[in-house]
Amino acid sequence: MPGRLDDVPMFNSNSPEWVKVPGILLSTFPPQGKTVPTAHLNYAFNGPFTLFTHHFSLNPKDLRTLYLGILVRNPGRSPVTLSIPAVASYLLNPDAPFANKPQMLENPTGAIHSGPGIRAVDTVLRGQRQPDFPAAVSIPAGGDRLLLNHPIPVKGLDRNLNGRSTFIRLSSSGPVYVADLAMYAPKTQEGKERSPTLAEWQTLLKTSGLAGPRDKTPTPPGRPGNLIYGRVAGVQKGSAWKATLADPGQAVLKLPSPGQTIAYPISTLRSGRFGTGQSQAAPLLVRYPDTAYEAHGNYCVHYDLALPLRNGTDTPQTVALTLTTPVKADRLAPQGLRFLASPTFPFFRGTVRLRYSSAEGRSITRYFHLWHRTGEQVKPLLTLNLNPKSTQTVKLDFLYPPDSTPPQVLKISTLSR
């Protein structure tokens, strides 16, 4: 895959995925003055950044509601403005339950989804901001503000299980620290649950350790044997991968011969590079020692791909674009990418966007919700007819959906006549 990750940092909180012991999920605050200094990673955001948090509550005692709080601190001597151009936060139930879907559906309004993380990135891809979030937050010098103070209710749900996924695009006018925190709902004197206050979140940040139970410890890079990727809790370097898919040194991508295919890997990682030797997993600038070494899967990374397709022949050609999930492999077998006669588990679930021009020159934007099993042969996203000696650019972009499993490939196939 041409291109690279940009340098925009992402606050990535996904460990522990299943929260049963409240505490600090991820804190980039300084460790000074904290009861558990090792729970704080000392990283300040300044300028554009993104934020992803994805956690579940399972079987809490007495069916208490777990709250997630995102606390932001301005350590400076002047006010800081935190702009929020796009944001979404959804519960598993009732907002976006996991559900089987057809392989591909047009999704013009975002009404189709199959999980809270999938719905959150769909909303942000469209540049939308949920109405319960402001367009900007002003943080006074030395002050704290809550960016999120949202519940994960479980009472009355199957298996007492629920989860929440949140994705935010932000920009800060000055340095800020960020923490993602988990707390069971405090109760009023009458015994009813209430939302935690800012002061209660501040106390938890200062006195608590890491939330639990801890996930599986990841395998260090280069160690042989069984590979455990681990869950991510840290700040990754990179929020977008922008690329023009063209022939080396050229401005266009020449169509393959009829019956042939070009394939570009997407979201490659250790043990899943399809023979390219390329890992696209975002490196982590700071992390907890028992969490992932890289942002495997690149959840919420914006893949923004342009394909300047060139039919250099003297005859019309038909080209098909397909996003698919072959059987994961680090090296290619002699037959190339492998698929299964009986695909099983869903590996890619989420919305992608296509932009291109019609034969009449009209700009077209289409959204598709995809639901693909690993190794499944799937239908093309788009089939185009290219006239002789013509070029047409197609743009494909999506935020890599949480609850999907990498890697994928984008195939460009010239169909036989």
Side-chain angles (χ1 to χ4, degrees):
M1 174 72 74
R4 65 173 184 86
L5 283 164
D6 64 12
D7 294 329
V8 175
M10 182 187 297
F11 179 100
N12 190 328
S13 178
N14 189 211
S15 178
E17 184 181 28
W18 303 92
V19 181
K20 296 181 181 179
V21 179
I24 294 170
L25 298 164
L26 173 60
S27 168
T28 75
F29 278 62
Q32 290 80 11
K34 308 297 192 301
T35 302
V36 185
T38 54
H40 306 274
L41 297 178
N42 196 23
Y43 181 94
F45 296 90
N46 193 1
F49 67 102
T50 55
L51 184 151
F52 170 59
T53 171
H54 179 78
H55 299 280
F56 290 86
S57 179
L58 175 65
N59 293 324
K61 295 178 181 178
D62 63 28
L63 302 182
R64 287 177 294 174
T65 298
L66 185 73
Y67 270 79
L68 296 184
I70 296 177
L71 189 67
V72 184
R73 176 169 297 172
N74 169 15
R77 298 181 179 180
S78 302
V80 164
T81 298
L82 197 61
S83 302
I84 308 172
V87 53
S89 182
Y90 292 109
L91 289 166
L92 173 66
N93 287 298
D95 299 333
F98 293 124
N100 292 356
K101 299 289 183 182
Q103 192 181 92
M104 182 168 66
L105 291 171
E106 294 260 10
N107 194 19
T109 65
I112 301 169
H113 39 76
S114 48
I118 294 159
R119 187 175 182 185
V121 296
D122 179 298
T123 299
V124 172
L125 177 67
R126 299 167 196 264
Q128 298 172 357
R129 182 177 58 251
Q130 282 181 319
D132 54 334
F133 289 90
V137 174
S138 180
I139 310 174
D144 294 341
R145 287 292 183 267
L146 278 172
L147 201 59
L148 185 85
N149 189 11
H150 284 34
I152 306 179
V154 296
K155 191 173 183 179
L157 298 177
D158 183 42
R159 297 169 54 210
N160 303 328
L161 164 66
N162 209 350
R164 179 176 289 279
S165 296
T166 303
F167 184 60
I168 315 177
R169 285 178 172 158
L170 306 119
S171 185
S172 173
S173 65
V176 293
Y177 296 110
V178 183
D180 188 17
L181 311 169
M183 178 193 306
Y184 285 119
K187 292 186 177 181
T188 65
Q189 291 182 347
E190 294 77 24
K192 295 182 178 181
E193 292 186 338
R194 62 170 175 81
S195 301
T197 64
L198 173 61
E200 287 168 334
W201 285 119
Q202 290 170 323
T203 298
L204 186 148
L205 175 75
K206 183 176 181 180
T207 62
S208 181
L210 293 177
R214 306 304 294 168
D215 287 312
K216 291 182 179 179
T217 301
T219 305
R223 178 177 292 180
N226 185 41
L227 175 57
I228 298 173
Y229 291 109
R231 289 278 168 181
V232 179
V235 178
Q236 71 184 58
K237 182 182 179 181
S239 294
W241 187 297
K242 188 172 184 178
T244 297
L245 307 187
D247 294 322
Q250 303 296 316
V252 297
L253 179 64
K254 183 179 177 182
L255 297 185
S257 300
Q260 299 298 307
T261 294
I262 299 169
Y264 289 97
I266 291 176
S267 198
T268 50
L269 70 172
R270 277 192 291 162
S271 191
R273 295 173 290 186
F274 292 129
T276 65
Q278 180 190 51
S279 174
Q280 297 172 15
L284 290 171
L285 301 170
V286 291
R287 54 178 281 274
Y288 295 119
D290 63 345
T291 62
Y293 287 89
E294 297 173 304
H296 305 295
N298 278 354
Y299 285 176
C300 301
V301 165
H302 186 198
Y303 278 90
D304 187 3
L305 310 176
L307 294 85
L309 303 173
R310 174 67 177 174
N311 176 12
T313 72
D314 296 323
T315 59
Q317 301 287 348
T318 302
V319 60
L321 272 63
T322 309
L323 182 64
T324 187
T325 304
V327 175
K328 179 182 172 184
D330 206 37
R331 299 181 181 180
L332 282 182
Q335 68 269 32
L337 299 173
R338 293 177 55 241
F339 295 87
L340 301 174
S342 300
T344 53
F345 300 105
F347 264 41
F348 189 89
R349 299 171 286 182
T351 296
V352 302
R353 177 168 57 189
L354 277 174
R355 288 172 286 185
Y356 59 99
S357 296
S358 68
E360 299 76 28
R362 179 171 55 90
S363 295
I364 297 174
T365 298
R366 300 170 72 186
Y367 293 86
F368 294 95
H369 183 277
L370 307 180
W371 203 94
H372 294 166
R373 293 177 171 87
T374 180
E376 183 177 16
Q377 295 280 12
V378 299
K379 298 176 182 178
L381 284 170
L382 181 66
T383 301
L384 290 173
N385 297 314
L386 268 68
N387 293 323
K389 307 296 183 181
S390 69
T391 301
Q392 181 165 357
T393 297
V394 177
K395 293 184 178 180
L396 169 67
D397 73 319
F398 57 93
L399 289 156
Y400 193 90
D403 290 314
S404 292
T405 303
Q408 278 69 42
V409 298
L410 176 63
K411 300 195 300 182
I412 302 97
S413 306
T414 303
L415 305 183
S416 300
R417 290 185 173 271

